[in-house]
Amino acid sequence: MTGCSRNAVVPPPGPLQPGVSLALAEARAQRVTDIHYRVHLNVPEAAAEPIAGRSDIRFHLADVKQSLALDFRAESTALHSVEVNGATLPAVIDTEHVVLPASALQSGENRVVLEFTAGDSALNRNPDYLYTLFVPDRARTALPLFDQPDLKARWTLSLDLPVSWEAVANGPRLTVVDAGERRLHHFAASEPISSYLFGFVAGRFQAVTREWRGQGMTLLHRETDSDKLARNLDDIFRQHREAVAWLEDYTGVPFPFEKLDFALVPAFQYGGMEHVGAIQYRAELLLLDENPTDDDRLRRASLIAHEVAHMWFGNLVTMRWFNDVWTKEVFANFMAAKMVNPVFPEIDHELNFLLRHYPPAYAVDRSAGANPIRQQLDNLNEAGQMYGPIIYNKAPIMMRQLESLLGAEAFRAGLADYLQRFAYDNATWPALVTILDQRTDLDLVAWSDSWVHRAGFPDAAQQAEDAALFYGPQVAELAQMRQWAQLPPVARGRLLLNLFEAVLAGGVSPQAYAAELLPLVATEQNQLLLQTLLEQLGWMQQTLLSDTAGARLQPELEAVLWQAMDTSADAGRTRLVFESLTRLARQPASLQRLYAVWRGESSLAGLTLAERDRIRLAERLAVALPEQAHAIIAQQLAQIENPDSRRRLAFIAPALSADVAVRDAFFASLADPAQRATENWVVDAVGYLHHPLRIAHAERYIEPSLEWLQEIQVTGDIFFPSAWLQATLQYHHSPRAVGTVQRFLQERPGYNAQLRMKILQALDMPQRAMRLRQ
């Protein structure tokens, strides 16, 4: 779908409908400019008490030929007063909108003042902290506004908070006024940004500030382990500084915003979110435990680079409509991959790119739910389903090929032109293709069409001639594994990926492939390759092998893992094997040895277990040792020092119970959206409900899980529907389980197309496992 020109004549939208329709967005973009929001929120200390809000919105209106709608998805009682240009109007929410009649508006400058109760869901309220997460269209669940990416605005925020709370927001904090048990935080106006980027974090956080370019760079955290903080803080600040410097050099565009702060949030739904001036990260991804693996360190560096890259790609220049959300994500991922190379010279970055991007992209493109990179989007209330591996993994592969076709310098010059031309504005993918097309004799429009607008693997003729850049599984023979020791790392990685695809396609037996993989655990020293082959072994053992074949392999698998761990001199490698062993151990001797490690009666050479490691081990032992599950979880809860970690384990504890009635009751409770509020916890819990040791019982959860999916899409964040489906289905392989999903879709021919695709993507592995096990 090509975005409409700002100069085109756009017909008025039809009757109001829920969400933000494309017609409504295009019509508003023709009329509304120069928006400035002044938002005040009074946040009580108790999370159950409502947040009172006031929004003063000023904007320029081109004409008063028709009414104008603000977006506000809230209960009718949430809107308390509406004043337009000094006149009081009825406080009415109509079909998720606040309609401003033409008679109250005026050509030129307008002022709208609203008082309301802020919605809690997108403010992510916890017992003593909260944080905004408004992407793609959830700002309208918290406050009334124009919630579309191409109506950029300045935001001035003030927060009335408990005296002990800290806060960061888009703009610099100007003043803090003490008022007894409260503090009033005033923040400066932001640069022009889209509504999904308006953000703040507030709560009982500790602040750490480091000097950066004559001002402070502030980090908020809730970590209680001072040693962990000391190990990580220098690297975190350094990587942010280096990412900014690299992007300034590469793009030729100075850092486009006034400040760079960030908050480490427990159980954050995403890896990170690029709010201007207030980046949010999942705390555990930045605060690494002792003995991190190469992948842990790479993932942190890539995540920081990704979020900082968004300051240019997404925040400075933003997609006009969320069908092009992939453009900001592909550039953030693409730039992150470039950035981490000089920081980690000891890492094989070609191998890392291959193993990080190709498997998840293949997993979607091989499925019946494959979707193109650029999709049709008629309403922002379905924009969350645009996200997934095609955006985050296939698109960077495409972008690398585009750079290869153009040449690095022409590509870089084109991006610089794009950033300068559309700074603090919005752009479409065709606009960028036009800029790049001027720098090559190739037909980039046709090339783009093959990659961007078609689902599945692109035409071979449209791919780069370099075999290293070819995208799509290649023919591989099991005999090639005999050459393993002679192959360079990238060739080994390709062989692993191609043979795994051959297994899933039925061309190589899972038993034969597992037998080839197992000896490599003891010999492969490259952590990236080791992690991939361990993940593939996990799929073989837990899903793809028949019960009989799995039982035969189990003793040898555990023996090899223990030997590899006991003989490894590399702490990161030891951690990888330990993680695999804790997931796959089934033999009584292995479980008892792991139980002794968890109790502190035994140790692992070269590996120090942090609190998070012990919690995860306790969870897995509770499932594998059901007769001891209650005692294990009770003891672990009593030992946890971090209050956020304790709350998490208390939440998922029923999913770990050996009592099926307790598990059934917990699953039933997830029908309530409030019980699904902390989505990471829910995904972890659902994964344990559907653990490979429990899938026969868990089949009863599949149908209601699918029945709740549409509500989950409405109430949850962008990655939650897919994560819910994957946690539910990934280990199932029985004809009954697969049939339940197929029947669900067959009985609903008019089912939401985006969610149907997500279900088919999640069903791909169970279907293949069912066929292989027959």
Side-chain angles (χ1 to χ4, degrees):
M1 179 192 66
T2 302
C4 103
S5 166
R6 284 287 176 85
N7 298 318
V9 177
V10 178
L16 286 175
Q17 53 183 283
V20 180
S21 69
L22 176 60
L24 173 63
E26 290 182 330
R28 287 194 306 208
Q30 292 292 314
R31 303 176 66 203
V32 181
T33 54
D34 299 326
I35 307 167
H36 191 152
Y37 298 99
R38 292 172 175 84
V39 176
H40 175 78
L41 297 174
N42 189 308
V43 182
E45 186 152 18
E49 295 181 16
I51 296 175
R54 184 178 188 272
S55 187
D56 184 334
I57 310 173
R58 313 204 183 186
F59 57 90
H60 186 279
L61 189 63
D63 65 72
V64 290
K65 295 178 181 178
Q66 59 196 47
S67 61
L68 183 66
L70 293 168
D71 311 315
F72 193 29
R73 195 183 97 196
E75 298 293 331
S76 59
T77 56
L79 185 62
H80 308 312
S81 68
V82 179
E83 180 185 297
V84 180
N85 296 321
T88 300
L89 301 182
V92 176
I93 300 174
D94 180 3
T95 321
E96 301 184 358
H97 299 282
V98 179
V99 179
L100 310 178
S103 59
L105 299 168
Q106 56 195 29
S107 296
E109 297 305 312
N110 287 260
R111 182 186 183 193
V112 179
V113 180
L114 308 101
E115 293 185 352
F116 56 93
T117 297
D120 281 347
S121 61
L123 294 178
N124 297 280
R125 299 185 71 184
N126 286 268
D128 54 2
Y129 67 95
L130 78 163
Y131 57 92
T132 58
L133 196 51
F134 289 163
V135 62
D137 71 327
R138 302 197 72 205
R140 65 192 179 92
T141 70
L143 66 159
L145 75 166
F146 302 112
D147 201 4
Q148 61 189 76
D150 61 342
L151 286 182
K152 289 191 168 184
R154 296 184 183 275
W155 292 80
T156 300
L157 175 67
S158 60
L159 295 173
D160 189 332
L161 302 173
V163 69
S164 61
W165 284 26
E166 269 287 353
V168 294
N170 299 122
R173 187 164 55 187
L174 297 177
T175 62
V176 179
V177 180
D178 288 333
E181 294 300 309
R182 308 285 296 175
R183 273 184 173 176
L184 186 59
H185 300 245
H186 291 279
F187 297 90
S190 71
E191 294 84 356
I193 59 175
S194 300
S195 54
Y196 77 91
L197 292 169
F198 168 55
F200 63 88
V201 178
R204 291 184 185 273
F205 287 87
Q206 298 296 314
V208 179
T209 300
R210 299 281 176 86
E211 187 74 12
W212 182 61
R213 296 184 172 181
Q215 62 178 335
M217 178 188 286
T218 296
L219 173 153
L220 299 187
H221 72 87
R222 289 171 57 85
E223 181 56 57
T224 56
D225 185 337
S226 58
D227 290 339
K228 180 186 286 190
L229 281 172
R231 283 197 309 272
N232 287 281
L233 285 180
D234 287 347
D235 284 340
I236 292 171
F237 280 102
R238 175 182 55 78
Q239 288 172 6
H240 280 88
R241 293 192 302 268
E242 290 177 349
V244 170
W246 188 94
L247 282 153
E248 288 180 327
D249 178 68
Y250 182 86
T251 65
V253 177
F255 183 72
F257 301 102
E258 192 168 349
K259 73 179 181 77
L260 182 62
D261 295 334
F262 38 95
L264 311 188
V265 181
F268 188 62
Q269 291 94 315
Y270 317 156
M273 179 59 205
E274 66 270 18
H275 299 105
V276 170
I279 300 175
Q280 298 163 8
Y281 292 105
R282 189 184 307 169
E284 66 187 59
L285 299 181
L286 265 62
L287 295 175
L288 304 183
D289 291 322
E290 286 190 75
N291 313 126
T293 65
D294 288 349
D295 187 63
D296 290 334
R297 296 185 302 113
L298 271 172
R299 181 171 56 179
R300 178 174 70 183
S302 297
L303 175 58
I304 291 172
H306 177 108
E307 302 307 334
V308 174
H310 271 311
M311 299 302 128
W312 284 259
F313 299 96
N315 297 4
L316 175 64
V317 179
T318 311
M319 67 277 165
R320 180 167 300 170
W321 188 238
F322 263 89
N323 66 320
D324 272 333
V325 66
W326 69 276
T327 57
K328 77 182 182 72
E329 299 303 332
V330 68
F331 281 117
N333 259 4
F334 182 71
M335 295 300 162
K338 282 180 171 290
M339 266 184 273
V340 298
N341 289 10
V343 180
F344 295 93
E346 73 279 14
I347 298 296
D348 187 328
H349 294 287
E350 285 298 311
L351 178 64
N352 179 54
F353 188 90
L354 175 78
L355 298 181
R356 189 176 296 276
H357 291 93
Y358 281 69
Y362 284 1
V364 175
D365 267 345
R366 81 165 86 95
S367 77
N371 60 270
I373 292 175
R374 195 174 197 236
Q375 302 180 61
Q376 175 72 25
L377 179 65
D378 296 322
N379 195 304
L380 278 187
N381 61 13
E382 293 188 348
Q385 301 316 306
M386 302 285 107
Y387 292 78
I390 295 302
I391 281 180
Y392 287 97
N393 302 108
K394 181 180 180 179
I397 297 170
M398 178 276 292
M399 196 59 66
R400 241 169 61 125
Q401 295 207 11
L402 178 57
E403 182 187 47
S404 177
L405 289 171
L406 284 168
E409 287 308 312
F411 181 77
R412 181 176 178 176
L415 290 186
D417 185 4
Y418 167 78
L419 290 171
Q420 291 163 8
R421 191 177 302 187
F422 295 102
Y424 304 104
D425 205 346
N426 302 79
T428 64
W429 169 248
L432 176 57
V433 170
T434 298
I435 290 173
L436 296 177
D437 198 40
Q438 297 168 357
R439 290 169 165 80
T440 179
D441 294 331
L442 299 171
D443 186 351
L444 281 191
V445 174
W447 180 91
S448 169
D449 186 60
S450 176
W451 270 97
V452 175
H453 295 106
R454 301 180 194 175
F457 299 106
D459 297 335
Q462 295 291 343
Q463 299 203 47
E465 294 181 3
D466 184 350
L469 294 175
F470 195 89
Y471 174 76
Q474 307 295 295
V475 175
E477 301 290 339
L478 199 59
Q480 291 175 265
M481 293 293 282
R482 306 289 190 272
Q483 306 168 17
W484 184 266
Q486 287 74 49
L487 294 174
V490 173
R492 293 182 188 182
R494 284 204 202 95
L495 184 57
L496 286 176
L497 303 191
N498 289 328
L499 282 173
F500 189 68
E501 292 298 318
V503 169
L504 296 178
V508 172
S509 81
Q511 295 95 318
Y513 187 47
E516 293 291 339
L517 288 178
L518 208 52
L520 301 179
V521 174
T523 61
E524 182 53 60
Q525 299 302 307
N526 185 297
Q527 288 186 26
L528 300 175
L529 289 168
L530 178 63
Q531 182 170 8
T532 298
L533 67 90
L534 287 171
E535 288 171 352
Q536 291 186 357
L537 274 171
W539 280 113
M540 301 294 164
Q541 187 65 358
Q542 297 184 109
T543 308
L544 302 180
L545 288 173
S546 68
D547 291 343
T548 301
R552 284 199 301 265
L553 182 66
Q554 190 70 37
E556 184 181 2
L557 171 64
E558 293 184 29
V560 166
L561 292 174
W562 278 115
Q563 181 184 16
M565 193 163 57
D566 291 340
T567 59
S568 174
D570 180 343
R573 190 174 179 278
T574 303
R575 178 174 287 280
L576 284 175
V577 178
F578 176 72
E579 276 290 303
S580 185
L581 184 59
T582 61
R583 286 195 304 271
L584 301 178
R586 304 287 183 267
Q587 304 257 90
S590 286
L591 293 172
Q592 289 307 311
R593 187 173 173 186
L594 289 171
Y595 181 73
V597 169
W598 171 72
R599 286 179 58 87
E601 298 166 355
S602 178
S603 61
L604 300 168
L607 187 62
T608 302
L609 296 187
E611 182 174 82
R612 187 162 59 95
D613 297 317
R614 293 189 179 278
I615 295 170
R616 188 163 51 239
L617 180 54
E619 293 165 2
R620 293 170 181 175
L621 286 171
V623 175
L625 298 172
E627 69 283 357
Q628 297 170 255
H630 180 76
I632 289 172
I633 297 305
Q635 182 176 335
Q636 185 61 60
L637 279 169
Q639 294 174 345
I640 296 176
E641 295 181 3
N642 185 289
D644 296 316
S645 297
R646 191 182 307 113
R647 286 197 302 122
R648 174 192 169 276
L649 183 56
F651 175 85
I652 71 170
L656 300 167
S657 174
D659 187 337
V660 296
V662 173
R663 300 205 302 270
D664 288 349
F666 174 78
F667 174 75
S669 75
L670 297 178
D672 181 0
Q675 184 74 350
R676 303 192 300 260
T678 307
E679 294 172 358
N680 281 342
W681 297 357
V682 174
V683 171
D684 289 346
V686 171
Y688 283 122
L689 291 176
H690 293 271
H691 189 279
L693 292 172
R694 297 167 159 183
I695 55 171
H697 178 82
E699 285 180 355
R700 70 187 64 189
Y701 303 145
I702 293 175
E703 188 166 359
S705 294
L706 296 173
E707 290 170 345
W708 301 341
L709 187 61
Q710 285 186 302
E711 184 187 54
I712 285 171
Q713 189 267 328
V714 171
T715 59
D717 282 299
I718 54 179
F719 299 113
F720 192 33
S722 292
W724 172 270
L725 288 168
Q726 291 295 335
T728 298
L729 296 177
Q730 63 180 338
Y731 295 122
H732 285 278
H733 46 69
S734 74
R736 185 166 59 182
V738 170
T740 296
V741 183
Q742 292 172 332
R743 184 172 61 255
F744 177 88
L745 292 175
Q746 290 165 1
E747 293 173 351
R748 294 163 176 82
Y751 192 71
N752 179 283
Q754 293 291 337
L755 292 180
R756 178 180 292 271
M757 284 196 306
K758 298 297 183 185
I759 293 172
L760 290 171
Q761 291 167 16
L763 183 61
D764 185 69
M765 187 63 82
Q767 284 180 316
R768 293 175 186 275
M770 179 186 71
R771 298 184 193 118
L772 290 172
R773 294 167 67 96
Q774 288 176 342

